[in-house]
Amino acid sequence: MDDVIIRAAEPGDEPFLWEMLALAAHMPGDPEEAGAAARRDPFLAKFVRDWGRPGDLGAVAVDAGGRGLGAAWLRHLTGPEQSYPAVDPAYPELAVAVRPERTGRGLGGALLGRLLAMARGVYPGVVLSVRADNPAQRLYERHGFAVTGTIVNRVGSASHVMELRLAPAGRAAG
């Protein structure tokens, strides 16, 4: 990963986040087509639309030439936007995606670690959902997430809701 730079996500990263959202959501088609479909999906669009609003946190990985390789981001969703009403409403929702040619090399874990470090002291915890058959669940477990429920996702299959309680900055979780 010597050729990778991980930096904070900025409002100008919104087009790349749409592409990453489409990957995270397993949208079919080429990246541009899939990103456009994600923009039209009300459930998905809430994770990226108007990126850079108060509370948004993200980490973006780019190569030495500036090409986006992956992203992990949090958005605090409230009221009708909130995906998991049974979860603490103070928890933002997490999305992570890495370009397929870069998976399996630690980039997702590096992005997630950076993002969680950014979130400590800002949020009390984080929530996500992952398809029950997605091997990425092991990545989340390694970072301390635990399954707290199972839902039927937007495509009709099972997803696990996973939560992580964050310790304040400088203190261990416990």
Side-chain angles (χ1 to χ4, degrees), residues 47-58:
F47 289 98
V48 175
R49 185 182 305 116
D50 301 321
W51 177 258
R53 68 189 197 190
D56 286 351
L57 290 177

Side-chain angles (χ1 to χ4, degrees), residues 95-119:
V96 179
V98 173
R99 289 191 187 279
E101 67 273 15
R102 298 299 291 226
T103 61
R105 297 191 225 173
L107 185 54
L111 284 161
L112 183 56
R114 177 73 59 91
L115 181 61
L116 294 175
M118 293 166 64

Side-chain angles (χ1 to χ4, degrees), residues 42 64 69 72 82 146 165 174:
L69 304 173
Q82 189 179 2
R165 181 186 225 185

Side-chain angles (χ1 to χ4, degrees), residues 40-159:
R40 291 188 303 271
D41 185 307
F43 179 81
L44 295 176
K46 66 187 178 183
F47 289 98
V48 175
R49 185 182 305 116
D50 301 321
W51 177 258
R53 68 189 197 190
D56 286 351
L57 290 177
V60 173
V62 297
D63 65 17
R67 179 177 181 257
L69 304 173
W73 67 99
L74 296 173
R75 176 158 270 181
H76 188 223
L77 300 170
T78 59
E81 279 192 323
Q82 189 179 2
S83 302
Y84 317 105
V87 172
D88 185 328
Y91 284 20
E93 298 181 31
L94 170 74
V96 179
V98 173
R99 289 191 187 279
E101 67 273 15
R102 298 299 291 226
T103 61
R105 297 191 225 173
L107 185 54
L111 284 161
L112 183 56
R114 177 73 59 91
L115 181 61
L116 294 175
M118 293 166 64
R120 281 186 174 75
V122 177
Y123 290 109
V126 175
V127 65
L128 63 87
S129 70
V130 60
R131 291 185 185 186
D133 61 353
N134 188 334
Q137 181 174 329
R138 291 188 298 278
L139 167 69
Y140 303 129
E141 290 168 342
R142 285 193 303 272
H143 282 268
F145 284 84
V147 174
T148 59
T150 301
I151 60 171
V152 176
N153 59 38
R154 67 182 179 77
V155 297
S157 62
S159 284

